[in-house]
Amino acid sequence: MKTHKLFPKVDALLHGGDYNPEQWLDRPDILEEDVWLMKEAGVNTVTLGVFSWSVYEPREGEYHFEWLHKILDTLYENGIYTVMATPSGARPAWLDETYPEALRMNLKRVRNLHGVRHNHCITSPKYRQLVHDMDVRLAKEVGSHPGIILWHISNEFGGECACPLCEKKFQDWLRNRYDNDIDKLNHAWWTTFWSHRYNDFSQINAPAAHGEQSIHGLNLDWKRFTTDNTREFMEAEMAVFRELTPDIPITTNFMHMYSALDYNKLSKPLDVISWDSYPRYGNPEESLYDTSMENALDHVMMRSFKHDRPFMMMESVPSLVNWHEYNKAKRPGVHKVTALQAIACGSDTVQYFQWRKSRGSFEQFHGAVLDHLGRSDTRVFRDVAEVGRLLKALKPVQGSIVESKAAILFDWDNRWALEDCAAFSKLTKQYTKTCLDMFKLFQKNGVDVDVIAPTEDFSGYRLLAIPMMYLMKPGVADRLKAFVSAGGQVVMTYISGYVDESTLCYLGGFPGDGLTELFGLYVEETDTLYPQDVNGVRFTGLPGVSEDTVFAARDYCDVIKVQGADTAAVYTEDFYAGEPAVTVNGYGQGKAWYVGARVEQAAMEQVLLAAMREADIPVKDLPEGVEYHRRSGDDAVFDFYLNYTTEPVTVETEPGVDLISGRSVSGQVKLEGLGVMVCQVQP
Ligand code: GAL
């Protein structure tokens, strides 16, 4: 069975979003209007209670859940399910006044004042206790309500706290990591450098601009600790619901490729992955397709955390946000294609922030399904209602999954270590952009690709793309060797395999940890170029690529010494002109490709295409500006084509039925500007 329905009792893709009735309790007319307008918009799910603590408990020990019961009942009677959030993302004033230890302290060791949200100390035992008590109360109050399909823990975990409680906990975390042996830590952090040796764990502070920030190992361990501490906080919340409502699954909403927390680690205990999608649609620097590719990468990363099931787009906006530099409205037609992109990438939901604009305070002008105007005959409402209708038509897709034969390896430890290392160029390392560029090449060729951590299982994939894996975790190199040896294809780039998990350099040649053997080469120097510098790369025997074409190489060029690898391309300029720039090494049944320079996309594409051919991964000829994905269910596959251009295009499809238009399609099919086709391919 491939199909995995996230919520068996809901026989539909979910459509809805954050609903804040607690802001309108004195307006029963509005609450009544909400329900029938939700039905008009095809909304079948809302998220309640994300920031409701001060209404649940206006004074310590005084609880009000009557309103929540009433809302849950009304929604359920009207066929609308609820994602029930815990309110730990923001606190009432009385809580901070009574328990100031709950307030976060920044890295300058200044305690925050009460206000905004997400500014609590995740370590504070008092805060954890209060959250626990609130969660127990919530679970007991509403946990048996038939309308609740999912718990939503807190909101967008993020940030760090450096209060004395957190610092002490960090020291204990280090004791545990380094077996209570300070010399192990001194070695891992290489503290003899600049005379930074510690005698005791108690001497260690969290990194700070006005304190220690030069030890890469410390900086990295602090980030790891912050993730572990956040996960512990999240799991403490989850434990309440696991015990009291074991049948209700649990999620927390992630942000895009958020830098401060290792989402791969946070994703593990969750039942469902969900995230909040807010691209800068309509920005002048890039096409709608390019903006959507960034969003696709986020979708795909979320999907890949649990690739045996759909994920959820928990928040998105039908019109504009209020926190971009310029808050531009979505153009006509854009909402449909961008909402369905989530489904194409493997989401079973299109959810919004927010159902109705709040009347005051910080998000009063943030887009919503319902405006202050209070009418359903608006462009935005109609766009939402159209998506509601389309999601009904796409019901057969529910529970199907995307099965990728290729994966890009992405790692937070690597991201942190690479960003932090004093080397190369601060301006051009651009790890996430490098991953995005790689991702775009798969998309351009219609190849579904997962984005996974290097610690994940490689079986099931035939090709692994490894951009800039500066920090190579223990065991990964051996697993890559086994993967290639058994017939896999690996494409790895410059600045890979420099340091181990403690950020200590591998000795004896990069890429380290035995990867020189896999790739049949070592890197003698890495040249960091100024933005004005351009080298050239010429392929010397890659099928289909002319030897006369010179592709540009910028930013980074490895000077490579081959030890068994074949040279696939050479540099054309500078003191390493004629030396290998791209190599390929046969290893067991498979091949290891090494791209030693940041070559232009057209050149990287040629290497990936060559590796895909070897891996027997079929490519698709897509018109420019079209995104393609395939979702597979038990009895059918669904091919999604999304046209981000405003012009009609022609796509090539297998015979099937377009679930959007209801028409039979086969061969060349015209897709309107901003059009979407979802072809249920005939078995
Ligand atoms: C999200 C957040 C929501 C809302 C939204 C606005 O990050 O979870 O509560 O603030 O942004 O775009």
Side-chain angles (χ1 to χ4, degrees), residues 62-82:
E62 179 190 324
Y63 299 101
H64 293 280
F65 290 102
E66 335 63 68
W67 65 274
L68 180 63
H69 285 288
K70 209 162 146 208
I71 299 277
L72 279 167
D73 289 347
T74 311
L75 291 168
Y76 187 60
E77 282 154 18
N78 284 278
I80 300 166
Y81 289 95
T82 294

Side-chain angles (χ1 to χ4, degrees), residues 58-227:
R59 274 161 288 276
E60 188 168 11
E62 179 190 324
Y63 299 101
H64 293 280
F65 290 102
E66 335 63 68
W67 65 274
L68 180 63
H69 285 288
K70 209 162 146 208
I71 299 277
L72 279 167
D73 289 347
T74 311
L75 291 168
Y76 187 60
E77 282 154 18
N78 284 278
I80 300 166
Y81 289 95
T82 294
V83 172
M84 192 68 226
T86 69
S88 60
R91 307 170 310 285
W94 62 257
L95 194 154
D96 288 340
E97 182 185 37
T98 319
Y99 309 106
E101 72 163 65
L103 286 162
R104 190 167 287 185
M105 191 176 268
N106 66 24
L107 294 179
K108 288 194 178 142
R109 306 334 191 232
V110 176
R111 182 82 70 180
N112 288 353
L113 302 177
H114 170 74
V116 292
R117 54 180 176 174
H118 306 303
N119 65 348
H120 53 270
C121 167
I122 42 180
T123 302
S124 155
K126 192 69 212 177
Y127 189 53
R128 287 191 176 200
Q129 185 62 49
L130 291 163
V131 168
H132 174 268
D133 294 350
M134 172 51 72
D135 288 350
V136 168
R137 211 163 269 277
L138 201 56
K140 289 189 172 159
E141 280 288 337
V142 298
S144 59
H145 197 285
I148 295 181
I149 54 171
L150 177 71
W151 291 111
H152 172 303
I153 301 292
S154 203
N155 188 66
E156 295 187 337
F157 281 114
E160 54 196 0
C161 174
C163 74
L165 290 169
C166 286
E167 207 155 64
K168 169 77 174 53
K169 196 165 179 187
F170 177 47
Q171 291 161 0
D172 291 342
W173 183 93
L174 291 169
R175 278 192 183 91
N176 184 46
R177 182 174 176 85
Y178 296 100
D179 302 328
N180 210 12
D181 180 347
I182 196 69
D183 283 336
K184 267 196 181 169
L185 176 142
N186 279 318
H187 180 266
W189 290 3
W190 211 250
T191 52
T192 311
F193 178 80
W194 282 354
S195 221
H196 283 190
R197 289 184 71 83
Y198 295 101
N199 300 329
D200 194 90
F201 288 90
S202 61
Q203 294 169 329
I204 299 169
N205 297 127
H210 61 305
E212 184 57 272
Q213 45 158 323
S214 62
I215 302 178
H216 297 313
L218 164 66
N219 297 344
L220 184 56
D221 275 345
W222 169 253
K223 288 190 180 296
R224 288 173 172 145
F225 160 75
T226 300
T227 290

Side-chain angles (χ1 to χ4, degrees), residues 195-394:
S195 221
H196 283 190
R197 289 184 71 83
Y198 295 101
N199 300 329
D200 194 90
F201 288 90
S202 61
Q203 294 169 329
I204 299 169
N205 297 127
H210 61 305
E212 184 57 272
Q213 45 158 323
S214 62
I215 302 178
H216 297 313
L218 164 66
N219 297 344
L220 184 56
D221 275 345
W222 169 253
K223 288 190 180 296
R224 288 173 172 145
F225 160 75
T226 300
T227 290
D228 285 358
N229 202 20
T230 305
R231 176 169 162 170
E232 191 189 88
F233 182 95
M234 179 182 85
E235 288 192 279
E237 284 209 66
M238 291 175 69
V240 170
F241 303 103
R242 290 270 188 250
E243 188 193 329
L244 297 176
T245 59
D247 297 333
I248 303 180
I250 304 179
T251 194
T252 189
N253 53 338
F254 289 154
M255 294 169 266
H256 52 100
M257 284 165 96
Y258 180 59
S259 65
L261 292 171
D262 183 340
Y263 276 168
N264 192 55
K265 281 190 183 162
L266 278 193
S267 71
K268 295 292 177 220
L270 299 169
D271 301 311
V272 181
I273 301 300
S274 66
W275 83 286
D276 304 340
S277 162
Y278 294 106
R280 290 163 59 241
Y281 291 124
N283 75 68
E285 302 106 55
E286 56 187 7
S287 66
L288 178 62
Y289 175 80
D290 282 330
T291 309
S292 300
M293 279 303 101
E294 290 157 31
N295 201 42
L297 175 58
D298 289 323
H299 279 317
V300 164
M301 174 173 282
M302 300 298 155
R303 173 187 85 209
S304 306
F305 288 138
K306 294 198 190 289
H307 48 161
D308 63 338
R309 65 195 74 175
F311 67 97
M312 298 176 74
M313 179 165 74
M314 185 62 90
E315 293 179 23
S316 62
V317 69
S319 52
L320 42 77
V321 300
N322 69 337
W323 51 269
H324 287 164
E325 228 160 275
Y326 300 92
N327 297 300
K328 189 168 177 173
K330 272 186 180 171
R331 277 14 205 181
V334 172
H335 182 54
K336 179 180 82 181
V337 64
T338 55
L340 295 189
Q341 180 192 34
I343 308 293
C345 291
S347 170
D348 264 6
T349 71
V350 174
Q351 310 278 105
Y352 309 114
F353 179 88
Q354 49 190 340
W355 165 252
R356 183 186 279 277
K357 284 186 181 174
S358 55
R359 187 154 183 209
S361 204
F362 192 72
E363 289 179 330
Q364 68 193 126
F365 297 114
H366 189 290
V369 181
L370 271 184
D371 208 286
H372 299 125
L373 201 57
R375 304 172 63 115
S376 62
D377 57 355
T378 61
R379 183 177 73 92
V380 168
F381 191 97
R382 280 197 297 264
D383 281 356
V384 168
E386 188 195 1
V387 167
R389 281 190 295 278
L390 292 175
L391 291 177
K392 283 193 184 125
L394 293 183

Side-chain angles (χ1 to χ4, degrees), residues 451-469:
V451 179
I452 61 167
T455 43
E456 295 298 309
D457 186 5
F458 298 154
S459 61
Y461 298 111
R462 295 190 209 139
L463 190 162
L464 298 175
I466 314 180
M468 298 180 84
M469 195 57 78

